[in-house]
Amino acid sequence: MDGRVCVVTGATAGIGKETALALAKMGATVVIVARDAAKSERTAAEIVRASAGAKVDVVLADFASLAAVRGAAGEIARRYPAVHVLVNNAGVAKKARTLSEDGFELTFAVNHLAPFLLTRELLPQLRAGAPSRIVNVASAAEAHGAIDFEDLQSVQNYKGFRVYGKTKLMNVLFTYELAERLAGTGVTANCLHPGAVATDMLRQLPWLLYAMISPFLLTPEQGAATQLFLASSPQVEGVSGGYYVKCKAARSSPRSYDVGARKRLWQVSEALLDNQFEVHGA
């Protein structure tokens, strides 16, 4: 990974942090994208201490703000004309319906709209860095999600796990559509289920369920293995449009192969973003 620029979102904790650390140890220049300045600097310092000579950069962005995401993409592009790996790892899970800074349902905004926007804005840099890779962290929870295009904001009957699953299904659909659109460019797109990992996100589950499954959870280092594999392994060089579990290609849910749904999701997402920036004159 020497000489390769790797952007990792949500890299100050959990599997994102482990991914950033591993990529730095391989010699990559790692760009941490996170919202907390102090935590980001501490993470960068930890990586440098753990790997002498590690090259780590920090770009701040709160994924609950689309303007912040676009600003971060612009800053990355300014610093790095070519990007070789983008790991869309940041995500949230909320028990109760909450709104983002822009007025979108928060899980939808952070888990789908933000990585959709960041990826779109960094495509010129990814093309310049080809062969390059986009890695989207989804979840097996996508099998429990269903997209109602008439209620993308989950106004009706909000259920935290169901909404989380819906956004993870969006990650998979986005990946498959992205892979098709980028065919022949040298930029690949794959997604993955990292496994059930002991991170703060899982603590959003009911406490009894969390207590029952906690003995069986993966460590963040174990959970990072598949996204690290997709970001760096020569075994998947040039491979695109896949869903991976335990570093192996797998089948995602039947609804994730709905071509009409993935194209509609792309169009709706583009329209929401364009309208957001048009309204705010940006």
Side-chain angles (χ1 to χ4, degrees):
M1 300 298 287
D2 284 345
R4 297 181 71 77
V5 175
C6 300
V7 178
V8 184
T9 70
T12 58
I15 59 178
K17 183 176 180 179
E18 293 297 332
T19 300
L21 172 60
L23 289 170
K25 286 182 175 179
M26 291 179 183
T29 295
V30 177
V31 182
I32 292 172
V33 182
R35 63 179 179 175
D36 188 308
K39 197 172 182 180
S40 298
E41 293 298 340
R42 284 198 302 271
T43 300
E46 287 175 26
I47 292 174
V48 170
R49 283 197 301 270
S51 179
K55 300 176 285 293
V56 188
D57 200 357
V58 172
V59 173
L60 297 178
D62 184 346
F63 270 33
S65 165
L66 293 174
V69 173
R70 192 161 73 162
E75 184 59 27
I76 293 168
R78 186 184 68 80
R79 299 182 195 179
Y80 303 98
V83 172
H84 305 93
V85 176
L86 169 60
V87 181
N88 285 311
N89 167 80
V92 298
K94 291 292 183 181
K95 293 179 182 178
R97 189 174 187 273
T98 309
L99 297 183
S100 73
E101 178 181 303
D102 303 306
F104 295 110
E105 188 278 313
L106 187 65
T107 307
F108 170 69
V110 173
N111 292 2
H112 172 65
L113 282 181
F116 185 100
L117 175 60
L118 183 66
T119 303
R120 184 181 78 170
E121 296 294 300
L122 288 179
L123 281 179
Q125 287 67 44
L126 286 159
R127 287 192 176 98
S132 55
R133 307 179 184 191
I134 300 166
V135 180
N136 295 323
V137 179
S139 167
E142 62 92 12
H144 304 284
I147 300 174
D148 178 358
F149 283 98
E150 304 306 315
D151 188 28
L152 284 178
Q153 304 298 312
S154 304
V155 174
Q156 305 297 324
N157 194 25
Y158 183 96
K159 298 289 184 182
F161 181 74
R162 185 169 61 193
V163 171
Y164 176 75
K166 177 172 69 173
T167 62
K168 294 291 102 179
L169 173 58
M170 290 177 183
N171 293 160
V172 180
L173 291 168
F174 171 51
T175 301
Y176 293 165
E177 181 65 16
L178 190 61
E180 181 177 292
R181 288 171 179 256
L182 292 175
T185 66
V187 184
T188 61
N190 292 290
C191 60
L192 67 124
H193 167 54
V197 186
T199 62
D200 289 342
M201 187 179 296
L202 274 190
R203 294 188 182 279
Q204 295 292 321
L205 292 172
W207 72 268
L208 182 58
L209 177 58
Y210 182 82
M212 290 173 61
I213 68 173
S214 58
F216 309 100
L217 297 178
L218 301 175
T219 65
E221 184 177 4
Q222 292 169 327
T226 302
Q227 61 200 64
L228 182 62
F229 170 78
L230 290 174
S232 63
S233 175
Q235 294 180 45
V236 286
E237 182 67 47
V239 177
S240 193
Y243 174 80
Y244 287 76
V245 180
K246 296 181 179 179
C247 301
K248 296 184 182 298
R251 293 283 294 179
S252 50
S253 67
R255 61 168 58 96
S256 71
Y257 296 102
D258 184 335
V259 176
R262 82 179 196 219
K263 292 188 179 299
R264 184 177 181 185
L265 178 63
W266 186 287
Q267 293 167 351
V268 170
S269 302
E270 288 271 9
L272 287 173
L273 292 173
D274 291 345
N275 181 66
Q276 177 68 23
F277 292 123
E278 180 180 324
V279 167
H280 290 85

